[in-house]
C-alpha cells in the first residue's frame, strides 16, 4: 500500500539504489501556483551530507516535475515528481546480500516477499521518504494558502536537550560506532476548527498512523500524551473562558476533530539501527553471523526525520481540509 | 468516515441515546462458525455497571445478528449486528444541550457539523464502541483460527500499578468528583511473520492509527516506544541467535512488517473528562458558564477501554492477515 | 465489497430470507431534514405484490431508521436503516438447496464461497436492493436540495414499447411459464457542470459500474450509446450555439465530466431467470437434473428495476457532488 | 481520481504535451519476472503512426522502468514506469487555446477546473492511456501465469464488418474530413470461477466501469447484452449438462461472479471528435465560432482503443484474482 490519503492522495515509489524515487500527487486543487522552488527547499532539508552529524552520502536530489503543471499552475491533474538516484555505492552492500541487519527490515521483507533488494535497504531505506517529502512540500504550499503552517523541532536526543549537548552526544555516539535516538515535536499553527472525521478518520488517529508509519518512529503522542495518564480529569480538561480555551492539554484535538488550537504532536525516534559496532545476527540460511554495518549512516536520524514528519503531517492536514470542504457546502 | 479496514472491513453506526448501535462486518471469510456466543462475552467485558469502579448505567447490550450467517456459519456476505439502546436517561443531559463540556467533543462537533446530538455525547460517546467491540469479537474468532490471540491489561492508573492501589485510586478520585487516567498494554501472541504492508499500510502505522482513534487515547507506543529515544543503537537493536531474536525491543514489528515475535502495544488514556467538580466553559452562544457534569460516568475509563483496544487491534490484524494472503498465492 | 461511494458512502447488508436487510449511509451532510417519509415511497415503488405484473410476494417493507437523525435532521453521523424480512416462504426453496438454477448466481456463489444460503437466492436476491433503494432515497433528498432529479421509465419490453402492449407481453410470458427482458432509460435533470473525476472516477464510468452492478443488467449506454458506433463524427459531435449545446448525443457527459445537459442512461435488462418451464441444470454433486423454478417470481423485472437504477444513479451523483465541492473551495 | 483497483492498483499521470506520461503499479506480487520487453509490445500496439488508418504522430514511446524490479524480478514494491513525450507539435494547438472543440472534454475541463492545458487535450488526451497500457501489460504478465488471456478485436466500424470494408470506410471518412465509430469485442479466456465480489465489486460492474472509463466509449455490454432485452428467459438462461454450461448467453458472469466460461465484453466507440470539417462551437468568452480541428488525428479510434480495452480488462482481472486469494486461504 503505497498510496496515502483520501482526497489529497499521494503514491510513492522507488528504492534506495534503483533508478529513481518519487511520488504522484493526486487531488491537489487546480489553479495553485507551483514550481520546483516550492519543493526543493524541503527536499534539501532532508538531504544527507550537509553536516558532520548526518550521513556522508552526497545526493543532489534535484526534483523533476513530470506532469500536472501548466504555465506555472496546477491543473487538477496528477503531479508526478521524481528524483534520480545518484552517488549509489551499491557495492558497499554486497556483504549484506544474505545477512539480516539487526533493527532493520531485512528479515521481515525477506519473510514477506521471499525476495529483497538488499542494496541500501531497497524500499525500506530512508531514501523512500524523498517522495513523501516532495509531496509534503506541495501539501504545505496548499496549506499556506489557508494560513496553516507545520513546523518541527528536536526536543531531545538521548536525554540531552540543548543544541550543543545534542551535537556532542551524536558525535560521541558516532565515534563509538554507535547511534542514539530522540524525541521531536511538530506543531500545526493556524488550523481551523472542524478538521477530522469521526470515528475512523479522526484527526489524531490519522496523525498517529502517519507518524508511526515513518521508519524509526516507535511512539506518538498528542497534547499531553503519556503525561495525561498520570493526571486528574480536573487537571487535564481544558476549561474555556470568554476568549476561548484557557489551556491546551488536548493538543488541539477533541473527539478527533480540530479545536482551532495549535496541534501538538511528539514522536519517539529509535537510535539508527545501522551501527559499526559488531552485532550478532542470522543470514538467510539461518546461520548465526557477526556483522559490522559499513556504508555511510546517520548516527542519529532525528534531525533528518523532522522534514519527513512535517511532510506527513502536512499531507494529513491537506487531506482533512479537502475532506472538510464537503461539509461546508 | 465510519468504515475501517481494507479487507476485513467494518462500518459502525449509532449514537448513545439513539435507537441502536451496531456494525456491518464485510469481508469475513465464508464458512467460519459464528453465533451470538462468540460476540456477547467481549461486549459484556466493555459493559458498564459491573463494578463499583465503572459507570452505573445498566445496559443489557444483547447482540442481535441481522445477516451474513446461514446454518451457523458465515457465508462471505456482510454480517450486520445491532444492540438496542436501553436505560437511556436522556433527561440527564437537558442541561447540557447548549453547553460545551470541557475535554469532550461537544465544541468540535458543533463547529464541524453545526448540529449536535447532545444526549450522552451522541456519536462521540463511548457507547459508539459497542459496534467496534462486536466486530472485534468476530475478528478475534477469525484470528483464533490462525492461532493468534490479542490480550490487554492495565499497566498503571494515575501512577499506581497494583490492582489494590489502582482500585483505591479510582474510588478516591470518584469520591472527590474527579477522574484519573492510566496506561494499558495489549499484546498479540502467535502472530506470523510478514503481516503489514509498506509503506503506508505498515502494521505499526495501522495499529497506531487504530489505537489513537479510540476516544481518550492520547499516546501510543510499540515495543520500547518512548524509552527507545533514550537508548543507544547497540542497546535497542534486537540481535539474532540460532533460535531467533534474542530480545524484543522492537515490539514484534520491523520496517512495518511483523517479525513473528509478540506485538507489544501501549496506550496512554486520559482521565475521563466527565467530572462532578465544577468547571468553567462556554455555551453555544459564547457565554462563559460553570458546569458540573452529572449523569453516570466512569471515574477511570482504562478498564473499559481494554476490550475496545483489543477489538481494534484484532481488526487491524484480521485485515492484515487477509491482505497478506494475496502475496502467498 | 458491500460499500459503494467515496464521499456519500453506503454499506448494504442482508439476505432474502435472513432477519433483515438494510444499509448504513455515511457521509450525508449534516443538517438535512430527513424522516421515514423521505425513504418509504421509493421503497414502495420497488415492492413486489402491487400489480399482476410483479411477484406475489407481500412485503410491508417498513423502513426503520436506527441512527444518524436528531430532532428530524441529519447530524453528519452514519444513518443506519433496516427493513425486517417478512412473508418468507423459505420452504419453497427446499427443493433448490442443492440445485443450481440456470441464469442465477447459485453456481458461482457456491464456487466462490463453498457455502450458500439457498433460500430465495440469499444475498444474490433482488431483495438485497432494499438497502440500495433506501440509501438512494436519502441521496435523492440531498440532490433535490441542489435542484437535481433522477427519473426512469420503461423504454421497451421484449420489443414492445406501449404500456398496453408491454402489459400483454408480460402476462403472456407469465402464462407460458416464461419471462421477458427489456430496456429502461434513466435521466438526470438539473445536473451542474463539472461533476466527475478524470481519469478513473469519470462520471460515465461510475454510472456504468453502478448500473451493471444491478442484478439482471447486461448492458449500459450513455447518450447515443451503441448507435454512436454507426455514425460519422460530424453527426455525433454536439455543436455549440449562443445558447449552449445544440444537441445532446453525448448524453450530458464529455471527457467523464458533466456538461450541464441532461444525463441520459439506458440499461438492458435480461429476462428474469426464474421461470416455471422445465430446464436442464446440475446439482452440487454434478448430476444433471431438470428443474421447474417455483416460488413467486416476476415475469419481467424491468418495472421493479427502475427504482433501483434511479437509486444507484442518485448515489453516484450525490457522491460526485460532494467530491466536486473540494475543487470549488 | 487517478488510481484504479483495490489490490493490483495503478496510478497514472501525465498530459499529452507535458514532460512524460506514466503509471505506478502497486500490489503486483513479488518474484514475478518482469522487464521492458513485457511492456513494450502492448505499448507499440497502441502507438500511432503505424498505418495509414491512424494518426501520423510519431512517438517512439520507449518504456522506462524506474522502480520495483530487482535482478529481473518484481519485489512487491511499486513499479513506476514512464514514457517521455516526444514529437510534440504544441504549436498546432495555439488556435484552440480558447476554443471548445465539439465532442471533446475542453468545455467540461474548463468548467470543472477553471484552468486547462489545451495542448493536445492535456490530460483528456488519448495519450493518457500510455500509463494504463503499460500497467495493463504488467497485469497481463501476471494473468498469463494463471493461464488467463485477454484478447480484443474489431467487430464493426460504421456498420462494416470485414477488414477490407473497414479499411475503405476509414480512409473514405478521413478523405471527407470526417471520422467513424465502431464496436470492439474483448474476450477473457481461461478465467477461473469465483472472481468478482458481490454486491459492489461484481466483476461485470467493474468491467463496465473500466470500459466506460476509456475515452470515446459510450456503451458496454456483457454476453448477449442489449440483445438479451429482446429474449425470453427460456432462451437466455444457460442450461447445464454433464460437461457444464451448454451455452454462454451470460458472457461468463453470473451474479457478478465469474462462472469459468469465457468472459465476453463489447464496447461501443464513438467516432473521433477531431474532424477537419468545419463545426460551430463556443470559445471561453461565450462567442460562437467556427473551427476546423487541425493536428494529426485518427479518423477511427477503434483499432487503437483495443489494446487500451485489453489493458483495462487485464487490470480488472488481476485485481479480482488477488481479491479472490483472500477467500481461498
Amino acid at each position: 500500500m503505497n498510496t496515502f490519503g483520501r482526497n489529497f492522495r499521494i503514491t510513492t515509489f522507488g528504492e534506495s539504489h534503483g533508478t529513481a524515487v518519487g511520488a504522484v500527487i493526486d487531488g491537489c486543487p487546480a489553479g495553485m501556483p507551483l514550481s520546483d522552488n516550492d519543493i526543493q527547499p524541503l527536499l534539501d532539508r532532508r538531504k544527507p551530507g550537509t553536516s558532520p552529524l548526518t550521513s556522508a552520502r552526497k545526493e543532489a536530489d534535484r526534483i523533476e516535475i513530470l506532469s500536472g503543471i501548466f504555465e506555472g499552475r496546477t491543473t487538477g491533474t496528477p503531479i508526478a515528481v521524481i528524483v534520480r538516484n545518484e552517488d549509489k555505492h551499491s557495492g558497499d552492500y554486497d556483504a549484506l546480500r544474505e545477512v539480516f541487519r539487526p533493527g532493520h527490515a531485512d528479515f521481515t521483507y525477506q519473510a514477506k516477499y521471499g525476495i529483497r533488494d538488499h542494496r541500501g535497504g531497497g524500499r525500506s531505506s530512508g531514501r523512500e521518504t524523498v517522495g513523501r517529502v516532495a509531496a509534503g512540500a506541495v501539501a504545505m504550499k496548499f496549506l499556506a494558502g489557508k494560513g496553516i503552517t507545520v513546523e518541527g523541532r528536536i526536543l531531545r536526543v538521548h536525554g540531552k536537550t540543548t543544541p550543543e549537548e545534542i551535537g556532542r552526544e551524536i558525535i560521541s555516539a558516532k565515534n563509538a560506532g554507535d547511534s542514539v535516538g530522540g524525541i521531536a515535536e511538530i506543531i500545526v499553527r493556524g488550523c481551523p476548527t472542524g478538521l477530522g472525521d469521526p470515528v475512523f478518520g479522526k484527526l489524531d488517529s490519522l496523525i498517529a498512523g502517519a507518524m508511526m508509519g515513518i521508519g524509526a518512529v516507535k511512539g506518538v503522542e498528542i497534547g499531553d500524551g503519556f503525561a495525561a495518564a498520570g493526571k486528574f480529569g480536573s487537571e487535564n480538561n481544558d476549561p474555556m473562558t470568554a476568549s476561548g480555551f484557557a489551556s491546551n492539554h488536548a493538543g488541539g484535538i477533541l473527539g478527533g476533530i480540530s479545536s482551532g488550537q495549535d496541534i501538538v504532536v511528539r514522536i519517539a525516534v529509535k537510535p539508527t539501527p545501522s551501527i559499526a559496532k559488531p552485532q550478532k545476527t542470522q543470514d538467510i540460511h539461518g546461520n548465526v553471523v557477526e556483522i559490522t554495518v559499513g556504508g555511510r549512516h546517520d548516527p542519529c536520524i532525528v534531525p533528518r526525520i523532522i522534514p519527513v514528519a512535517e511532510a506527513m503531517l502536512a499531507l494529513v492536514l491537506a487531506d482533512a481540509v479537502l475532506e472538510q470542504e464537503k461539509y461546508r457546502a
Side-chain angles (χ1 to χ4, degrees), chain A:
Chain A
M1 174 50 71
N2 294 276
T3 297
F4 183 82
R6 290 168 293 171
N7 304 294
F8 197 105
R9 286 177 298 277
I10 69 161
T11 301
T12 69
F13 56 86
E15 291 82 38
S16 183
H17 291 227
T19 303
V21 289
V24 183
I25 302 146
D26 189 13
C28 184
M32 186 178 91
L34 190 74
S35 75
D36 294 8
N37 296 334
D38 294 305
I39 300 174
Q40 195 63 51
L42 197 66
L43 275 183
D44 289 346
R45 282 180 54 210
R46 79 158 285 294
K47 220 168 51 174
T50 59
S51 117
L53 302 185
T54 59
S55 158
R57 179 167 169 172
K58 291 269 184 301
E59 294 160 334
D61 281 1
R62 293 305 308 173
I63 192 75
E64 183 185 7
I65 301 180
L66 298 180
S67 66
I69 309 296
F70 176 64
E71 300 182 345
R73 307 180 87 88
T74 59
T75 58
T77 63
I79 304 161
V81 296
I82 63 170
V83 168
R84 298 265 166 189
N85 286 324
E86 301 166 5
D87 192 33
K88 299 175 290 192
H89 292 197
S90 301
D92 285 4
Y93 292 88
D94 282 351
L96 299 172
R97 174 183 274 271
E98 301 202 329
V99 181
F100 302 132
R101 292 167 299 163
H104 275 284
D106 300 350
F107 174 79
T108 51
Y109 266 66
Q110 188 73 38
K112 184 179 184 72
Y113 298 109
I115 180 175
R116 178 169 64 91
D117 183 348
H118 68 283
R119 302 165 306 165
R123 180 80 178 143
S124 74
S125 164
R127 184 140 185 84
E128 168 269 324
T129 61
V130 164
R132 304 193 197 194
V133 167
V138 180
M140 283 180 193
K141 175 91 178 191
F142 169 72
L143 293 173
K146 308 275 178 185
I148 304 170
T149 62
V150 179
E151 195 182 347
R153 63 189 179 108
I154 302 176
L155 271 195
R156 88 188 50 204
V157 166
H158 203 240
K160 309 301 185 196
T161 57
T162 70
E164 195 196 320
E165 290 176 311
I166 288 172
R168 269 211 306 265
E169 197 74 14
I170 294 176
I171 298 293
S172 155
K174 184 184 182 180
N175 292 342
D178 215 326
S179 64
V180 283
I183 295 175
E185 181 174 80
I186 310 104
I187 296 183
V188 181
R189 294 185 176 85
C191 186
T193 57
L195 302 189
D197 199 12
V199 299
F200 296 124
K202 286 180 175 173
L203 196 56
D204 40 1
S205 169
L206 297 173
I207 290 172
M211 294 297 109
M212 197 70 97
I214 301 169
V217 172
K218 300 300 289 183
V220 188
E221 57 181 15
I222 311 273
D224 285 5
F226 275 85
K231 298 201 301 181
F232 286 114
S234 56
E235 296 172 292
N236 190 61
N237 284 348
D238 297 308
M240 296 184 87
T241 64
S243 53
F245 291 103
S247 56
N248 188 16
H249 299 297
I253 301 175
L254 282 168
I257 303 171
S258 65
S259 67
Q261 294 187 279
D262 286 354
I263 296 175
V264 181
V265 180
R266 276 180 302 283
I267 55 176
V269 181
K270 74 175 184 181
T272 325
S274 292
I275 57 174
K277 279 192 174 171
Q279 303 175 85
K280 285 267 188 304
T281 189
Q282 283 188 10
D283 65 17
I284 63 172
H285 309 292
N287 304 314
V288 175
V289 296
E290 188 173 275
I291 65 159
T292 298
V293 181
R296 300 155 295 169
H297 303 290
D298 296 277
C300 178
I301 201 67
V302 182
R304 288 185 60 207
I305 231 171
I306 286 177
V308 181
E310 289 174 355
M312 292 307 300
L313 205 42
L315 288 165
V316 168
L317 282 159
D319 194 68
V321 167
L322 289 179
E323 183 72 19
Q324 181 58 2
E325 306 292 343
K326 297 186 303 197
Y327 294 94
R328 295 252 169 90

